[in-house]
């Protein structure tokens, strides 16, 4: 049996953790599906800095790499090594910050002491109790005196440092001052060392470094003559079209064009560069694949004028998580599985918690709603938060809301949670392992997806139902394209632009959980008949077709 060789083109920028990217998980599932075909060999071409990220992704997603070859330029750029060293040093410095931990413990002990003295003070109602209170107060003051004396030099030093910083700032603001220029340069260097990834000039440096790396990748691609055709899993890399071979580019969606203002506010100049790269990739491409008929006809054909016969719509296969948390070798496997999931959740809470409330959370039987997604404008997180606040405060549902994004990615989310005093009710767990993700789905009473736009039917449906958790979702075309059952649509979809409708659907689902599951499980079982091997085979058929068309065109 002859083996067909195909290439996968990746051009991720530095520092990207593929395990946290939807595209990374999609790539892993695609490759696992291709493993079952037997007659296919994939060569992955990627930058030098993506090697470690790919191996970490494959280990996390349990992707066998026997039929995968990874090719990348030799030697990571030295300037990137310096950046990674600085970031690693900062991470270790935070862990080594014994002074900060000691200060926090001291502050906590002081609050406990003040609380104790306050309780004693309010109980003073006669001369005897007043005498005891004053004696205790004197004893605590005597014990605290050595601490105060020891801390006094540090306090004086801190005052001098503060005064020096204030002086430097005044000098830096002075006009036509040489000192001002020198201090400005120094402060710029310190900011770059403290958070280099936030500096625009560092990002421009990364762009130049990536352009150089891509040239090295293309030199390698020219020598991979056994690769019949190349596949690119996203449209963010127009450099893919420089490869002189049959090419197939995937366009999952073009949400940047649907939410221009929101993405521009978040991404700034980076958004404009990304949007320009995406449109350049689409307009200069030859053949495309996407996840849904909606994106094919409404976006690629309707919006960008791509010929319909140049676009193949290949839907996802279900993404299932039950194998990660199912435990069978016990007399009560269901209870053992739930306890395992509780342990995974506890570890995730301890790892991710930024607040003392969450880090010390011990209620393993907590009830919660769950939405797994990064925070982007099209994910519609604020609508979900509005619905949740209403259910919590006005309908007394008593559930937490667990989200997997970083609130700093969209400041409006962080601000909403803070202003509405939801810090102890909305829990952010980012960077979950696949096992922890499965555990969150299994322990949740309900999975919710409020997204306004996706490239295909969200994985939320199959991921949640694979571990026995019902789902409610926003009514969007790509979801209805796959979930066509009218009864199902009536009980699970809500208007994503109406937080009240979202709240009503969540409340109904919590009250009718078993009824909702009874409707959703048969649909889920029908969807699982499609496998990732089917998805991989359909992509390979498309790659084979365009390779054959090119050969025929050259022959003519």
């Amino acid at each position: 049996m002859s083996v067909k060789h195909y290439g996968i083109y990746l051009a991720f920028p530095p520092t990207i953790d593929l395990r946290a990217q939807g595209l990374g998980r999609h790539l892993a599932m695609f490759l696992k599906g291709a493993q079952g075909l037997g007659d296919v060999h994939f060569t992955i071409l990627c930058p030098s800095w993506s090697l470690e990220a790919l191996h970490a992704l494959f280990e996390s997603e349990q992707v066998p790499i026997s039929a995968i070859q990874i090719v990348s330029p030799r030697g990571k750029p030295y300037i990137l090594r310096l950046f990674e060293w600085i970031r690693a040093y900062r991470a270790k410095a935070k862990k080594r910050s014994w002074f900060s931990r000691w200060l926090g413990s001291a502050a906590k002990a002081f609050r406990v002491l003040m609380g104790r003295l306050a309780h004693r003070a309010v109980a003073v109602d006669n001369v005897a109790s007043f005498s005891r209170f004053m004696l205790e107060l004197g004893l605590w003051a005597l014990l605290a005196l050595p601490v105060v004396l020891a801390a006094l030099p540090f306090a004086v030093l801190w005052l001098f440092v503060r005064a020096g910083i204030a002086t430097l700032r005044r000098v830096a603001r002075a006009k036509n001052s040489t000192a001002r220029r020198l201090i400005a340069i120094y402060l710029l260097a310190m900011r770059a060392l403290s958070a280099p990834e936030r500096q625009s000039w560092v990002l421009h440096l990364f762009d130049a470094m990536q352009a150089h790396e891509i040239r090295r990748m293309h030199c390698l691609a020219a020598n991979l003559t056994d690769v019949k055709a190349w596949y690119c899993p996203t449209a963010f890399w127009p450099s893919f079209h420089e490869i002189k071979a049959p090419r197939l580019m995937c366009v999952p969606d073009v949400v940047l064009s649907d939410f221009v203002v929101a993405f521009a506010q978040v991404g700034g100049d980076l958004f404009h560069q990304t949007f320009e790269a995406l449109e350049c990739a689409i307009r200069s491409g030859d053949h495309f694949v996407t996840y849904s008929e909606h994106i094919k006809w409404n976006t690629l054909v309707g919006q960008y004028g791509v010929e319909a016969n140049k676009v193949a719509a290949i839907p996802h296969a279900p993404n299932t998580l039950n194998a990660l948390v199912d435990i069978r070798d016990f007399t009560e496997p269901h209870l053992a599985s739930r306890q395992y999931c509780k342990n995974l959740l506890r570890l995730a809470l301890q790892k991710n918690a930024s607040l003392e409330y969450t880090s010390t959370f011990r209620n393993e039987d907590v009830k919660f709603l769950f939405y797994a997604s990064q925070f982007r404008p099209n994910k519609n997180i604020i609508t979900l938060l509005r619905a949740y606040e209403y259910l919590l405060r006005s309908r007394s549902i008593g559930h937490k809301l667990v989200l997997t994004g970083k609130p700093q990615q969209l400041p409006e989310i962080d601000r909403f949670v803070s202003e509405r005093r939801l810090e102890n009710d909305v829990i952010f767990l980012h960077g979950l392992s696949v096992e922890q993700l499965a555990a969150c789905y299994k322990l949740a009473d309900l999975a919710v997806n409020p997204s306004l736009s996706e490239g295909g039917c969200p994985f939320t449906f199959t991921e949640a139902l694979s571990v026995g958790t019902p789902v409610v979702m926003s009514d969007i075309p790509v979801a209805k394209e796959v979930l066509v059952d009218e009864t199902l649509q009536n009980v699970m979809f809500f208007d994503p632009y109406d937080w009240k409708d979202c709240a009503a659907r969540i409340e109904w689902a919590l009250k009718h959980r078993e009824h909702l599951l009874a409707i959703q499980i048969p649909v889920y079982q029908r969807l699982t008949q499609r496998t990732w091997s089917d998805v991989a085979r359909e992509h390979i058929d498309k790659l084979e077709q365009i390779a054959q068309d090119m050969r025929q065109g050259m022959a003519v």
Side-chain angles (χ1 to χ4, degrees), residues 43-59:
T43 296
I44 298 177
L45 179 63
C46 68
S48 57
W49 52 72
S50 293
L51 279 174
E52 294 178 8
L54 274 175
H55 284 293
L57 171 70
F58 293 160
E59 181 180 357

Side-chain angles (χ1 to χ4, degrees), residues 361-547:
F361 199 81
R362 293 292 180 268
N363 182 8
E364 292 185 343
D365 297 314
V366 60
K367 294 180 177 294
F368 63 92
L369 312 174
F370 185 58
Y371 178 36
S373 174
Q374 296 185 57
F375 289 168
R376 292 170 178 156
N378 62 302
K379 299 301 183 179
N380 202 24
I381 305 297
I382 292 297
T383 292
L384 176 58
L385 289 172
R386 291 184 187 278
Y388 172 71
E389 182 194 19
Y390 169 76
L391 292 170
L392 181 71
R393 302 269 165 78
S394 300
R395 305 298 296 173
S396 304
I397 63 164
H399 285 63
K400 305 290 185 185
L401 174 62
V402 177
L403 305 172
T404 62
K406 294 182 180 180
Q408 297 81 8
Q409 291 175 331
L410 285 179
E412 62 191 66
I413 294 175
D414 204 13
R415 186 165 54 249
F416 185 95
V417 170
S418 176
E419 290 176 352
R420 307 303 175 94
R421 303 187 304 280
L422 294 171
E423 295 93 339
N424 293 344
D425 300 296
V426 179
I427 298 174
F428 299 101
L429 298 180
H430 55 84
L432 297 179
S433 68
V434 184
E435 292 80 8
Q436 290 170 340
L437 177 69
C440 288
Y441 268 118
K442 188 173 182 66
L443 295 175
D445 276 358
L446 183 70
V448 186
N449 189 319
S451 179
L452 296 170
S453 177
E454 297 290 338
C457 184
F459 285 134
T460 304
F461 186 81
T462 54
E463 287 178 337
L465 287 164
S466 70
V467 293
T469 299
V471 186
V472 293
M473 293 169 53
S474 56
D475 186 352
I476 54 177
V478 293
K480 296 179 76 171
E481 187 177 310
V482 174
L483 305 172
V484 297
D485 185 272
E486 187 174 348
T487 302
L488 175 69
Q489 292 179 359
N490 290 335
V491 296
M492 73 171 290
F493 284 140
F494 57 83
D495 181 355
Y497 294 95
D498 184 352
W499 67 264
K500 293 182 180 178
D501 191 40
C502 176
R505 183 53 47 199
I506 292 173
E507 185 174 16
W508 181 91
L510 290 173
K511 292 179 179 178
H512 302 85
R513 191 174 187 273
E514 297 305 318
H515 176 61
L516 181 57
L517 269 175
I519 296 172
Q520 291 181 332
I521 288 294
V523 177
Y524 163 74
Q525 291 173 341
R526 288 197 296 271
L527 292 177
T528 55
Q529 295 175 10
R530 178 174 175 79
T531 68
W532 281 98
S533 291
D534 297 326
V535 175
R537 173 56 68 189
E538 290 170 20
H539 278 79
I540 291 166
D541 289 343
K542 186 64 179 177
L543 287 166
E544 186 67 24
Q545 176 193 332
I546 63 176

Side-chain angles (χ1 to χ4, degrees), residues 137 174 213 220 451:
L137 186 62
E213 191 77 356
L220 294 174
S451 179

Side-chain angles (χ1 to χ4, degrees), residues 56-106:
L57 171 70
F58 293 160
E59 181 180 357
S60 173
E61 297 286 344
Q62 301 175 9
V63 179
I65 59 174
S66 56
I68 302 171
Q69 178 187 10
I70 303 177
V71 176
S72 70
R74 286 187 177 183
K76 194 184 296 184
Y78 286 171
I79 195 167
L80 179 60
R81 294 176 187 269
L82 175 62
F83 171 84
E84 291 175 341
W85 180 85
I86 292 172
R87 195 166 65 166
Y89 178 81
R90 286 171 53 213
K92 290 180 181 179
K94 289 180 180 179
K95 292 180 181 179
R96 291 196 303 262
S97 183
W98 61 269
F99 180 75
S100 297
R101 292 197 299 271
W102 176 85
L103 198 61
S105 300

